[in-house]
Structure formats: structure tokens, C-alpha cells
């Protein structure tokens, strides 16, 4: 199967707050780098090249009603607890993608107001 997502950007107004939030949720230390007026904190998957970033630039605004990215999690309950701990708000509790699928998703708002998804496969939340 092809990989269709090449890179993602999560907009932030308060870069330090967003980096703290995602650092807590991902369990990673994220570093802010500046390129002129742009600020970025890259997110990697293991030792790979960055797969996305938290991004701050004038006019680039967070949103809760546009395209949504979803991150895979092995443990939905633990991930949602980290979202809450970091100051995020759960907007859709875990539910099955469709009846009988055994795949579950949930949505949260990050500290910047972006709607982000979590996705897990074949594990009912509460059983992980």
C-alpha cells in the first residue's frame, strides 16, 4: 500500500505551550527551531526523518473545523489521559469506526484549538 501522507503541520499561536502539550502527549522532547519569522518543532517517528511539525507563522491559524490528522496509538486510554494531563480537551470519546470493525477513534482539541484524532486498531478502549 502506498503511503499518502508525506508531512503534516500543526499550527500554533503559542509555540511554547504547543510544544509542551505535544511533548507530553508523545512522550518526546521537542525542540523549537526558528527560520526567520517561522518557528517549527519537528516530530519524528523513531530515528526516521521528521514526519511533521508544530508550526508557527503569522496568519497560520489553528482550527477545529477543517482537515483532521489522526495519530496511531497502541493504547487509546493512556493517550487520552496524556491529552487531558497536557491541557487538551476530549471532544469525541473513543468509538468504533463502524459496527464490528474493532478499530477505534477519538478526537481532542489541543491547547491551540486544533482538532486532532487518535486511532487504534483491534483494541477496544478500556481493554488496552
Amino acid at each position: 500500500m502506498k503511503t499518502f501522507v508525506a508531512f503534516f503541520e500543526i499550527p500554533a499561536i503559542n509555540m511554547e505551550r504547543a510544544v509542551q502539550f505535544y511533548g507530553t502527549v508523545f512522550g518526546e522532547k521537542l525542540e523549537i527551531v526558528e527560520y526567520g519569522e517561522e518557528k517549527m518543532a519537528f516530530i519524528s517517528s523513531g530515528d526516521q526523518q521528521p514526519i511533521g511539525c508544530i508550526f508557527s507563522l503569522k496568519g497560520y491559524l489553528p482550527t477545529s473545523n477543517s482537515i483532521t490528522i489522526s495519530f496511531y496509538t497502541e493504547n487509546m486510554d493512556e493517550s487520552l489521559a496524556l491529552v487531558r494531563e497536557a491541557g487538551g480537551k476530549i471532544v469525541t470519546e473513543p468509538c468504533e469506526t463502524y459496527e464490528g470493525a474493532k478499530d477505534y477513534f477519538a478526537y481532542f482539541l489541543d491547547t491551540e484549538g486544533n482538532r486532532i484524532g487518535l486511532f487504534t486498531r483491534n483494541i477496544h478502549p478500556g481493554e488496552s
Side-chain angles (χ1 to χ4, degrees):
M1 175 184 273
K2 293 180 183 179
T3 301
F4 290 101
V5 177
F7 194 80
F8 62 84
E9 296 174 348
I10 301 171
I13 294 172
N14 183 322
M15 195 64 174
E16 290 74 20
R17 178 179 62 203
V19 164
Q20 171 131 7
F21 176 83
Y22 283 102
T24 298
V25 171
F26 293 146
E28 299 287 330
K29 180 167 175 39
L30 303 176
E31 307 251 350
I32 298 173
V33 294
E34 296 186 33
Y35 301 100
E37 294 182 24
E38 298 176 53
K39 291 182 182 179
M40 304 172 96
F42 292 99
I43 300 167
S44 297
S45 178
D47 292 332
Q48 301 174 1
Q49 292 291 323
I51 58 172
C53 70
I54 301 163
F55 184 82
S56 180
L57 181 65
K58 185 178 179 179
Y60 195 72
L61 303 173
T63 183
S64 64
N65 58 3
S66 188
I67 293 173
T68 301
I69 60 170
S70 293
F71 295 108
Y72 182 79
T73 179
E74 291 287 336
N75 189 318
M76 179 72 76
D77 297 323
E78 183 178 287
S79 294
L80 291 173
L82 289 170
V83 166
R84 288 182 185 100
E85 175 187 320
K89 178 183 175 188
I90 309 307
V91 293
T92 303
E93 292 293 332
C95 57
E96 219 169 13
T97 55
Y98 60 89
E99 190 174 342
K102 297 186 179 178
D103 296 336
Y104 294 84
F105 70 93
Y107 293 117
F108 65 88
L109 293 178
D110 69 9
T111 53
E112 303 303 296
N114 293 299
R115 181 184 59 184
I116 304 291
L118 290 172
F119 177 85
T120 194
R121 212 173 267 293
N122 298 319
I123 302 171
H124 186 278
E127 295 176 356
S128 43

